Amino acid sequence: NMKKRLIGVLLALLMVASLATGCAKQAASTEAAAPAAAKDGAGIKVAVVANQKFGDNGPMDNLKAGVESMVAKHGIEAKYLESSAETFEEDVRAMAKAGYNLIITTFPYMSEATTIVAKEYPNTMFCAIYQFINVGDASYANIWDTEYHGEGAFYIAGWLAGKATKTNTIGFQVGGEEPSPNAEGNAFMRGALAANPNVTVEFACINSYEDTATTYEYTMAMIDKGADVIQGDSGGSNAGMVDAAKEKGGVLVGNEITDFYSTYPEFNGIIGIGFGANAVQAIEAYIAGTYPGGQHGIMDLANGGYFMDWASYERFAASSSAFAAAYKDNLPEAKSMADKIISGEMKVDFDTEYPN
């Protein structure tokens, strides 16, 4: 009996020591100065179900890079799934059924599937990137959706294009007739007119973010109308714009996300879209226990939703292009404009009417 009591006492002491050590470790991880060292996301599973392909060297890769930064920082588990209209709902449901804690979906095409599955899995959180779900009277407690306001960035791009054009004719192409792209088109036009009251802007809607053939055709038509500066806003479709400009020659082109400078030296610069920043915010909030479910957020220049890649513009300004001098002369004012938009000193309207 004495032997059993002695063993019991020793076991109790070991348990107390183990608890004390565990508490000390927890306190240390909470107070650690380097958050990257604490894998506080271990066990958390995040799935990205996307309606576009990864490997685009553009918006989808930017999104994946944001999630991967959270894998490295917090030790979360991540899965990436390319989906299509026929399987949106099935794919999102499969991720929820598999026990993923946070499911990220992309763009308005996936909103219906996102809301249907969110109702079925109320304990699963959803991040609906570039979607309009918690608007009006609608509110889903386990969905945080965001819209992207790029009007500030595209106003600046339009202003630079207005300064650079030699023919007073420029072009703008969007991927879809949606509120944010419409606002970006209107802002580009207004920026161009603010810089050059004599400018004409040719506008086209591609109705796709992966249709390079249609983008090529619209670009050729714009060039034939005299456009010498053309801005793309259609994701993967922008590659067709560059192909057309290469064929015609001497036409300045720019776009969002993808860098085409190495293949076409008349590529003026990049407007960055931070889908990755959106994913980072969602994952950080989930880990912190502050997930903004039921809310509709806005991503813009001020919070990393959009950014001007000034290094790409400066690279072009230092080139031998006939348009380079206009960029070199006007980049300081363009940067000042960006700072004013971010601070709120300067306001660019979010005009969602179809551009004309």
Side-chain angles (χ1 to χ4, degrees):
N1 290 337
M2 179 62 72
K3 185 177 181 181
K4 289 181 178 177
R5 283 198 297 273
L6 181 58
I7 291 171
V9 170
L10 289 170
L11 287 172
L13 289 170
L14 286 170
M15 289 176 67
V16 170
S18 176
L19 286 169
T21 302
C23 290
K25 285 181 179 178
Q26 184 177 8
S29 66
T30 301
E31 297 171 5
K39 299 297 184 182
D40 48 351
I44 293 175
K45 299 167 64 178
V46 177
V48 181
V49 185
N51 70 314
Q52 292 179 208
K53 290 180 171 62
F54 295 102
D56 63 349
N57 193 30
M60 303 315 297
D61 284 353
N62 179 273
L63 170 58
K64 185 174 182 179
V67 177
E68 285 299 305
S69 74
M70 294 292 94
V71 172
K73 179 179 179 181
H74 292 298
I76 65 168
E77 177 184 334
K79 181 179 179 64
Y80 306 93
L81 183 62
E82 294 174 355
S83 189
S84 61
E86 296 78 15
T87 61
F88 284 161
E89 186 178 327
E90 176 186 339
D91 290 338
V92 175
R93 184 178 292 109
M95 295 299 98
K97 188 175 181 180
Y100 282 86
N101 308 98
L102 173 62
I103 299 174
I104 300 172
T105 64
T106 56
F107 316 140
Y109 311 102
M110 297 195 69
S111 294
E112 183 178 4
T114 302
T115 54
I116 289 172
V117 179
K119 288 179 183 178
E120 297 173 4
Y121 292 85
N123 294 322
T124 300
M125 297 298 112
F126 293 81
C127 173
I129 291 179
Y130 214 146
Q131 297 178 56
F132 303 82
I133 295 175
N134 293 312
V135 294
D137 295 329
S139 181
Y140 294 80
N142 58 335
I143 299 177
W144 176 45
D145 61 313
T146 57
E147 62 180 281
Y148 275 67
H149 284 198
E151 64 275 10
F154 281 96
Y155 181 94
I156 296 168
W159 185 85
L160 285 168
K163 290 291 187 181
T165 181
K166 299 178 182 300
T167 63
N168 286 337
T169 301
I170 62 179
F172 187 82
Q173 301 179 15
V174 295
E177 186 180 348
E178 300 159 320
S180 292
N182 287 350
E184 289 160 6
N186 286 319
F188 180 87
M189 293 177 183
R190 287 169 184 162
L193 286 168
N196 181 355
N198 298 315
V199 76
T200 297
V201 183
E202 297 291 334
F203 175 81
C205 179
I206 309 303
N207 287 315
S208 171
Y209 291 90
E210 297 179 311
D211 186 352
T212 57
T214 299
T215 308
Y216 172 89
E217 292 173 3
Y218 276 127
T219 304
M220 294 293 275
M222 288 181 175
I223 295 172
D224 287 342
K225 290 182 178 180
D228 61 351
V229 182
I230 302 175
Q231 175 71 46
D233 187 17
S234 59
S237 298
N238 289 329
M241 178 182 69
V242 176
D243 288 341
K246 283 182 187 177
E247 187 172 323
K248 287 288 188 177
V251 177
L252 179 65
V253 297
N255 76 312
E256 90 282 23
I257 288 289
T258 309
D259 190 351
F260 289 104
Y261 186 79
S262 63
T263 59
Y264 188 60
E266 293 296 322
F267 177 79
N268 67 344
I270 304 165
I271 294 174
I273 304 180
F275 294 139
N278 201 162
V280 166
Q281 290 182 27
I283 295 168
E284 292 280 19
Y286 184 88
I287 292 173
T290 57
Y291 198 74
Q295 299 180 32
H296 179 74
I298 292 175
M299 301 293 294
D300 56 18
L301 272 177
N303 61 11
Y306 277 85
F307 59 91
M308 302 299 294
D309 186 346
W310 292 121
S312 65
Y313 286 97
E314 289 166 354
R315 175 186 62 193
F316 178 76
S319 75
S320 59
S321 170
F323 297 94
Y327 276 77
K328 183 178 181 181
D329 292 343
N330 291 291
L331 276 178
E333 187 170 348
K335 291 179 181 179
S336 175
M337 200 179 297
D339 290 339
K340 290 177 182 177
I341 292 171
I342 290 170
S343 70
E345 181 181 346
M346 178 178 173
K347 179 174 173 54
V348 179
D349 290 338
F350 183 67
D351 181 358
T352 61
E353 291 295 318
Y354 189 73
N356 56 47

